[in-house]
Coordinates of all heavy atoms in Angstrom, one line a residue:
M1 N 153.6 159.0 82.4 CA 153.4 159.6 81.1 C 152.4 160.8 81.3 O 151.4 160.7 81.9 CB 152.7 158.6 80.2 CG 152.5 159.1 78.8 SD 151.7 157.9 77.6 CE 153.0 156.7 77.4
D2 N 152.9 162.0 80.9 CA 152.0 163.2 81.1 C 151.2 163.5 79.9 O 151.2 162.7 78.9 CB 152.9 164.4 81.4 CG 153.8 164.9 80.3 OD1 153.6 164.5 79.1 OD2 154.8 165.6 80.6
K3 N 150.4 164.5 80.0 CA 149.4 164.8 78.9 C 150.0 165.0 77.5 O 149.5 164.6 76.5 CB 148.5 166.0 79.3 CG 147.6 165.8 80.3 CD 146.8 167.1 80.6 CE 145.7 167.0 81.6 NZ 145.0 168.2 81.8
N4 N 151.2 165.7 77.5 CA 151.9 165.9 76.3 C 152.4 164.6 75.6 O 152.3 164.5 74.4 CB 153.0 167.0 76.4 CG 152.5 168.3 76.6 OD1 151.4 168.7 76.2 ND2 153.3 169.1 77.4
D5 N 152.8 163.7 76.5 CA 153.3 162.4 76.0 C 152.1 161.7 75.3 O 152.3 161.0 74.2 CB 153.9 161.5 77.1 CG 155.2 162.1 77.6 OD1 155.9 162.8 76.8 OD2 155.6 161.8 78.7
V6 N 151.0 161.7 76.0 CA 149.8 161.0 75.5 C 149.4 161.6 74.2 O 149.1 160.9 73.2 CB 148.7 161.0 76.5 CG1 147.3 160.5 75.9 CG2 149.0 160.2 77.7
K7 N 149.3 162.9 74.0 CA 148.9 163.6 72.9 C 149.9 163.3 71.7 O 149.4 163.2 70.6 CB 148.8 165.1 73.1 CG 147.7 165.6 73.9 CD 147.6 167.0 74.2 CE 146.4 167.5 74.9 NZ 146.4 168.9 75.1
N8 N 151.2 163.2 72.0 CA 152.1 162.9 70.9 C 152.2 161.5 70.5 O 152.4 161.2 69.4 CB 153.5 163.4 71.5 CG 153.6 164.8 71.4 OD1 153.0 165.6 70.7 ND2 154.4 165.3 72.4
R9 N 151.9 160.5 71.4 CA 151.9 159.1 71.1 C 150.8 158.5 70.5 O 150.8 157.7 69.7 CB 152.3 158.4 72.4 CG 152.5 156.9 72.2 CD 153.1 156.2 73.3 NE 153.2 154.8 73.1 CZ 153.8 153.9 73.9 NH1 154.4 154.4 74.9 NH2 153.8 152.7 73.5
F10 N 149.5 159.1 70.8 CA 148.3 158.4 70.4 C 147.6 159.4 69.4 O 147.6 160.5 69.5 CB 147.4 158.1 71.6 CG 148.0 157.0 72.5 CD1 148.8 157.4 73.6 CD2 147.9 155.6 72.1 CE1 149.4 156.4 74.4 CE2 148.5 154.7 72.9 CZ 149.3 155.1 74.1
E11 N 146.9 158.7 68.5 CA 146.2 159.5 67.4 C 144.9 158.8 67.1 O 144.8 157.6 67.0 CB 147.0 159.5 66.1 CG 146.3 160.2 65.0 CD 147.2 160.1 63.7 OE1 148.3 159.7 63.8 OE2 146.7 160.6 62.6
K12 N 143.8 159.6 67.1 CA 142.5 159.1 66.7 C 142.4 159.0 65.3 O 142.6 160.0 64.6 CB 141.4 160.0 67.3 CG 140.0 159.7 67.0 CD 139.1 160.6 67.6 CE 137.8 160.7 67.0 NZ 136.8 161.8 67.6
I13 N 142.2 157.8 64.7 CA 142.1 157.6 63.3 C 140.8 157.5 62.7 O 140.6 157.5 61.5 CB 143.1 156.5 62.8 CG1 142.6 155.1 63.4 CG2 144.5 156.8 63.1 CD1 143.4 154.0 62.9
S14 N 139.8 157.2 63.5 CA 138.4 157.2 63.1 C 137.4 157.3 64.4 O 137.9 157.0 65.5 CB 138.0 155.9 62.3 OG 138.0 154.8 63.2
G15 N 136.3 157.7 64.1 CA 135.3 157.9 65.3 C 134.2 158.8 64.8 O 134.3 159.6 63.8
G16 N 133.1 158.7 65.5 CA 132.0 159.5 65.2 C 131.2 160.0 66.4 O 131.8 160.0 67.4
M17 N 130.0 160.3 66.2 CA 129.2 160.9 67.3 C 128.8 159.9 68.3 O 128.3 160.2 69.3 CB 127.9 161.6 66.7 CG 128.3 162.7 65.7 SD 129.2 164.0 66.5 CE 127.9 164.7 67.4
S18 N 128.9 158.6 68.0 CA 128.4 157.5 68.9 C 129.3 157.3 70.2 O 128.9 156.6 71.0 CB 128.4 156.2 68.2 OG 129.7 155.8 67.8
G19 N 130.4 158.0 70.3 CA 131.3 157.8 71.4 C 132.3 156.7 71.2 O 133.0 156.5 72.2
N20 N 132.4 156.1 70.1 CA 133.4 155.1 69.8 C 134.5 155.7 68.9 O 134.2 156.6 68.1 CB 132.9 153.9 69.1 CG 131.9 153.2 69.9 OD1 132.1 153.1 71.2 ND2 130.8 152.7 69.4
A21 N 135.8 155.3 69.1 CA 136.8 155.7 68.2 C 137.9 154.7 68.1 O 138.1 154.0 69.1 CB 137.5 157.0 68.8
V22 N 138.6 154.7 67.0 CA 139.8 153.8 66.9 C 141.0 154.7 67.1 O 141.1 155.8 66.5 CB 139.8 153.2 65.5 CG1 141.2 152.4 65.4 CG2 138.6 152.2 65.3
I23 N 141.8 154.3 68.0 CA 143.0 155.1 68.4 C 144.2 154.2 68.1 O 144.2 153.0 68.3 CB 143.0 155.4 69.9 CG1 141.8 156.3 70.1 CG2 144.2 156.0 70.3 CD1 141.5 156.4 71.6
I24 N 145.3 154.9 67.5 CA 146.5 154.2 67.3 C 147.7 154.7 68.1 O 147.7 155.8 68.4 CB 146.8 154.3 65.7 CG1 148.0 153.4 65.3 CG2 147.1 155.7 65.4 CD1 148.2 153.3 63.8
D25 N 148.5 153.7 68.5 CA 149.7 154.1 69.3 C 150.7 154.2 68.2 O 151.2 153.3 67.4 CB 150.0 152.8 70.2 CG 151.3 153.1 70.9 OD1 152.2 153.8 70.5 OD2 151.5 152.4 72.0
K26 N 151.3 155.5 68.0 CA 152.1 155.8 66.9 C 153.6 155.2 67.1 O 154.3 155.0 66.2 CB 152.3 157.3 66.8 CG 150.9 157.9 66.4 CD 151.1 159.4 65.9 CE 151.2 160.3 67.1 NZ 151.2 161.7 66.8
E27 N 153.9 154.7 68.3 CA 155.1 154.1 68.6 C 155.1 152.6 68.1 O 156.1 152.1 67.6 CB 155.6 154.2 70.0 CG 156.1 155.5 70.4 CD 156.6 155.5 71.8 OE1 156.9 154.5 72.4 OE2 156.7 156.7 72.4
T28 N 154.0 151.9 68.3 CA 153.9 150.5 68.1 C 153.1 150.2 66.8 O 153.1 149.1 66.3 CB 153.3 149.7 69.2 OG1 152.0 150.2 69.5 CG2 154.2 149.9 70.5
G29 N 152.1 151.2 66.5 CA 151.2 150.9 65.4 C 150.0 150.1 65.8 O 149.1 149.8 65.0
I30 N 149.8 149.7 67.0 CA 148.8 148.9 67.5 C 147.5 149.7 67.6 O 147.6 150.9 68.0 CB 149.1 148.3 68.9 CG1 150.2 147.3 68.7 CG2 147.8 147.6 69.5 CD1 150.6 146.6 70.0
E31 N 146.4 149.2 67.1 CA 145.1 149.9 67.2 C 144.3 149.5 68.4 O 144.3 148.3 68.7 CB 144.3 149.6 65.9 CG 144.9 150.1 64.6 CD 144.1 149.9 63.4 OE1 143.0 149.4 63.4 OE2 144.6 150.2 62.3
Y32 N 143.6 150.5 68.9 CA 142.7 150.2 70.0 C 141.3 150.8 69.8 O 141.2 151.8 69.0 CB 143.3 151.0 71.3 CG 144.6 150.5 71.7 CD1 145.7 151.1 71.2 CD2 144.7 149.5 72.7 CE1 147.0 150.6 71.6 CE2 145.9 149.1 73.1 CZ 147.1 149.6 72.5 OH 148.3 149.2 73.0
L33 N 140.3 150.2 70.4 CA 138.9 150.7 70.3 C 138.6 151.4 71.7 O 138.8 150.8 72.7 CB 137.9 149.6 70.0 CG 136.5 150.0 70.1 CD1 136.2 151.0 68.9 CD2 135.5 148.9 70.0
F34 N 138.2 152.7 71.6 CA 137.8 153.4 72.8 C 136.4 153.6 72.7 O 135.8 154.0 71.6 CB 138.5 154.7 72.8 CG 138.0 155.6 73.9 CD1 138.4 155.3 75.2 CD2 137.1 156.6 73.7 CE1 137.9 156.1 76.3 CE2 136.6 157.4 74.7 CZ 137.0 157.2 76.0
S35 N 135.7 153.4 73.8 CA 134.2 153.5 73.8 C 133.9 154.4 75.1 O 134.2 154.0 76.2 CB 133.5 152.2 73.9 OG 132.1 152.3 74.0
A36 N 133.3 155.5 74.8 CA 132.9 156.4 76.0 C 131.5 156.2 76.4 O 130.6 156.1 75.5 CB 133.1 157.9 75.5
G37 N 131.3 156.0 77.6 CA 129.9 155.8 78.2 C 129.2 157.1 78.4 O 129.8 158.2 78.5
S38 N 127.9 157.0 78.4 CA 127.1 158.3 78.7 C 127.2 158.8 80.0 O 127.0 160.0 80.3 CB 125.7 158.0 78.3 OG 125.1 157.0 79.2
G39 N 127.7 158.0 81.0 CA 127.7 158.5 82.4 C 129.2 158.9 82.8 O 129.5 159.1 83.9
G40 N 130.0 159.1 81.8 CA 131.4 159.6 82.0 C 132.4 158.5 82.1 O 133.6 158.8 82.1
G41 N 131.9 157.3 82.1 CA 132.9 156.1 82.0 C 133.3 155.8 80.6 O 132.9 156.5 79.7
G42 N 134.3 154.9 80.5 CA 134.6 154.5 79.2 C 135.5 153.2 79.2 O 135.8 152.8 80.3
G43 N 135.9 152.8 78.1 CA 136.7 151.6 78.1 C 137.7 151.6 76.9 O 137.4 152.3 75.8
L44 N 138.7 150.9 77.0 CA 139.8 150.8 75.9 C 140.2 149.3 75.8 O 140.4 148.7 76.8 CB 141.0 151.6 76.3 CG 142.1 151.7 75.3 CD1 141.7 152.6 74.1 CD2 143.3 152.4 75.9
T45 N 140.2 148.8 74.6 CA 140.6 147.5 74.3 C 141.4 147.4 73.1 O 141.2 148.2 72.1 CB 139.4 146.5 74.3 OG1 139.8 145.2 74.2 CG2 138.5 146.7 73.0
V46 N 142.3 146.5 73.0 CA 143.2 146.3 71.8 C 142.3 145.6 70.7 O 141.5 144.8 71.0 CB 144.5 145.6 72.1 CG1 144.1 144.1 72.6 CG2 145.4 145.5 71.0
L47 N 142.5 146.0 69.4 CA 141.8 145.3 68.3 C 142.7 144.1 67.9 O 144.0 144.3 67.9 CB 141.6 146.3 67.2 CG 140.6 147.4 67.5 CD1 140.5 148.4 66.2 CD2 139.2 146.8 67.7
L48 N 142.1 143.1 67.6 CA 142.9 141.8 67.2 C 142.7 141.6 65.6 O 141.7 141.8 65.1 CB 142.4 140.7 68.0 CG 142.5 140.9 69.5 CD1 141.9 139.6 70.2 CD2 143.9 141.1 70.0
D49 N 143.8 141.0 65.1 CA 143.6 140.5 63.7 C 143.1 139.2 63.7 O 142.6 138.6 64.7 CB 144.9 140.6 63.0 CG 146.0 139.6 63.5 OD1 145.7 138.7 64.3 OD2 147.2 139.8 63.2
R50 N 142.9 138.5 62.5 CA 142.3 137.2 62.4 C 143.0 136.1 63.2 O 142.4 135.1 63.6 CB 142.2 136.8 60.9 CG 141.3 137.6 60.1 CD 141.4 137.1 58.6 NE 140.5 137.9 57.8 CZ 139.6 137.5 57.0 NH1 139.5 136.2 56.8 NH2 138.8 138.3 56.4
S51 N 144.2 136.3 63.4 CA 145.0 135.2 64.2 C 145.0 135.4 65.7 O 145.6 134.7 66.4 CB 146.4 135.1 63.7 OG 147.2 136.2 63.8
G52 N 144.3 136.5 66.1 CA 144.2 136.8 67.5 C 145.4 137.7 68.0 O 145.5 138.0 69.2
K53 N 146.2 138.2 67.1 CA 147.3 139.1 67.6 C 146.9 140.5 67.5 O 145.9 140.9 66.7 CB 148.6 138.8 66.6 CG 149.1 137.5 66.8 CD 150.3 137.3 65.9 CE 150.8 135.9 65.9 NZ 151.9 135.6 65.0
P54 N 147.5 141.4 68.2 CA 147.2 142.8 68.1 C 147.2 143.4 66.7 O 148.2 143.0 65.9 CB 148.2 143.6 69.0 CG 148.6 142.6 70.0 CD 148.6 141.2 69.2
K55 N 146.2 144.1 66.3 CA 146.2 144.6 64.9 C 147.1 145.8 64.8 O 147.1 146.8 65.5 CB 144.8 145.1 64.6 CG 144.5 145.5 63.2 CD 143.1 145.7 62.9 CE 142.8 146.1 61.5 NZ 143.4 147.4 61.0
I56 N 148.0 145.7 63.8 CA 149.0 146.7 63.5 C 148.5 147.5 62.3 O 148.2 146.9 61.3 CB 150.4 146.0 63.2 CG1 150.9 145.1 64.3 CG2 151.4 147.2 63.0 CD1 151.2 145.7 65.7
N57 N 148.4 148.8 62.4 CA 148.0 149.6 61.4 C 149.1 149.6 60.3 O 150.3 149.8 60.6 CB 147.8 151.1 62.0 CG 147.3 152.0 60.9 OD1 148.0 152.5 60.0 ND2 146.0 152.3 61.0
Q58 N 148.7 149.5 59.1 CA 149.7 149.4 58.0 C 150.5 150.6 57.8 O 151.6 150.5 57.3 CB 148.9 149.1 56.6 CG 148.3 147.6 56.8 CD 149.3 146.5 56.9 OE1 150.3 146.5 56.4 NE2 149.0 145.7 57.9
D59 N 150.0 151.8 58.1 CA 150.8 153.1 58.0 C 151.9 153.1 58.9 O 152.9 153.9 58.7 CB 149.9 154.3 58.2 CG 148.8 154.4 57.1 OD1 149.0 153.8 56.0 OD2 147.8 155.1 57.4
Y60 N 151.9 152.2 60.0 CA 153.0 152.3 61.0 C 153.8 151.0 61.1 O 154.6 150.7 61.8 CB 152.4 152.5 62.4 CG 151.9 154.0 62.5 CD1 150.6 154.2 62.2 CD2 152.7 155.0 62.9 CE1 150.0 155.5 62.2 CE2 152.1 156.3 63.0 CZ 150.8 156.5 62.6 OH 150.3 157.8 62.7
H61 N 153.5 150.1 60.1 CA 154.1 148.8 60.1 C 155.6 148.8 59.5 O 156.0 149.6 58.8 CB 153.3 147.8 59.2 CG 153.7 146.4 59.4 ND1 154.1 145.7 58.4 CD2 153.8 145.7 60.5 CE1 154.4 144.5 58.7 NE2 154.3 144.4 60.1

């Protein structure tokens, strides 16, 4: 997957100055939490619903 594929497939739907953002996969609707570290590192994890399944954004359902 090249940079253009990433830019077209994923969208930041919320985030602030703290380095955290919610990102959505526009193909699946699954939401992820991205957290950027102060030292240049970061992490990405899938958000889960109440039943433990990946959270699907309602706009993409």
